[in-house]
Amino acid sequence: MEELEQGLLMQPWAWLPLAENSLLVKAYITKQGYALLVSDLQQVWHEQVDASVVSQRAKELNKRLTAPPAAFLCHLDDLLRPLLKDTACPGKATFSCDRVDEAMILRVQSELSGLPFYWNFHCILANPSLVSQHLIRPLMGMSLALQCQGRELATLLRMKDLEIQDYQESGAVLSRDRLKTEPFEENSFLEQFMVEKLPEACHVGDGRPFVMHLQNLYVAVTRQEIQVRQEHQGTGDPQPSSTTSPQGTENQLLSQPEEPVSSAPSLPVTEKDPTGPSGPVKRPQLSKVKRKKLRGLFS
């Protein structure tokens, strides 16, 4: 299950609006199972299952559908991918959640070739190690990266001021007064930012700003941490191998996040032929039973 754990770590967070509240969700699905992480900014829940659990749960929830576990996993991937890729386009699935004691059940309802399809993610509270791995350490790494970016930008501004000063000493005159700026003073800028911009800038809300604006950096930081860990272990390949979820090889600070899994083929539901030859079922069947340039820190 190491592939699931590592694959989940490299996935971005998505914002999932529900009728009663909203959640942050990240998921990683392969043909062998899936891993899911859910948070309401108060607690974090987790589920990781293999194909045998998927097969049993599918039989309980979708009695009219017969398919191998890999087919159901591909269909779950089809349902979750629009959510994880674009929060503005949540797809056709309906999500709801129930909380029982310390557990959470995230329910998914959709259609598969005209028939209802149901799935329940049974999540338990994530252990502290998992929370640290997916939230605390990445957020600390992101803070350090943004601090470094801010220092680089401040240095660039000072160099620009020296360049402007050289132009002025050479007799250059600004043609439009409205473009005139004062020399950059880092300490004054930081003090003003703390007073005027900080309250709005650090407003977490329901987590959506974090999902909408910082997932490129989140994915880059988690990939970097995995690469460092693998180098310490003497592994030359910084990316996990997966037949269904190939990841790119870019490790730049602000690289675009990859899609969590590769596009899965459509899964048409066909009528089950009771007199057909025996063999593995490949598709769900109906039973006749009933380097980019770094952006500014404060842009």
Side-chain angles (χ1 to χ4, degrees), residues 17-183:
L18 302 176
E20 57 276 12
N21 54 13
S22 61
L23 299 171
L24 298 185
V25 181
K26 63 186 316 195
Y28 185 74
I29 303 175
T30 71
K31 292 181 179 179
Q32 289 74 43
Y34 67 75
L36 179 80
L37 210 59
V38 182
S39 176
D40 63 354
L41 301 185
Q42 300 295 325
Q43 294 177 303
V44 180
W45 294 268
H46 175 249
E47 185 184 34
Q48 182 169 309
V49 300
D50 58 19
S52 62
V53 176
V54 171
S55 179
Q56 180 61 33
R57 193 175 301 173
K59 292 178 182 177
E60 297 172 356
L61 296 175
N62 302 280
K63 299 183 184 299
R64 299 178 65 185
L65 292 173
T66 303
F72 285 112
L73 286 164
C74 284
H75 186 58
L76 282 174
D77 174 33
D78 289 338
L79 295 178
L80 290 178
R81 192 187 307 114
L83 166 71
L84 301 176
K85 183 178 179 181
D86 184 3
T87 56
C89 180
K92 298 180 180 180
T94 301
F95 295 85
S96 61
C97 72
D98 295 322
R99 301 184 190 182
V100 181
D101 296 329
E102 294 185 340
M104 169 184 283
I105 301 178
L106 182 61
R107 305 182 187 277
V108 184
Q109 180 178 353
S110 68
E111 288 190 358
L112 181 59
S113 293
L115 290 176
F117 176 83
Y118 303 96
W119 191 261
N120 295 341
F121 294 99
H122 294 269
C123 305
I124 61 174
L125 280 178
N127 59 53
S129 175
L130 202 62
V131 176
S132 174
Q133 189 179 30
H134 287 268
L135 282 171
I136 297 176
R137 292 185 63 86
L139 290 175
M140 291 180 67
M142 292 168 66
S143 299
L144 293 172
L146 290 172
Q147 182 188 38
C148 179
Q149 187 184 66
R151 289 198 301 265
E152 293 290 332
L153 290 171
T155 300
L156 181 61
L157 284 173
R158 286 192 291 268
M159 293 175 61
K160 290 292 185 182
D161 283 341
L162 291 175
E163 182 180 359
I164 293 173
Q165 181 180 352
D166 182 69
Y167 288 148
Q168 292 173 339
E169 292 175 352
S170 300
V173 178
L174 192 64
S175 60
R176 288 171 287 184
D177 290 340
R178 62 184 177 83
L179 298 179
K180 185 177 181 180
T181 58
E182 297 297 328

Side-chain angles (χ1 to χ4, degrees), residues 262-297:
S262 63
S263 298
S266 59
L267 300 174
V269 178
T270 58
E271 291 190 354
K272 183 176 180 181
D273 183 3
T275 62
S278 60
V281 182
K282 299 300 183 182
R283 291 289 185 270
Q285 295 179 329
L286 275 175
S287 172
K288 297 298 285 185
V289 188
K290 303 178 180 177
R291 202 164 210 252
K292 289 184 180 181
K293 289 186 179 180
L294 297 177
R295 297 180 181 177
L297 172 59

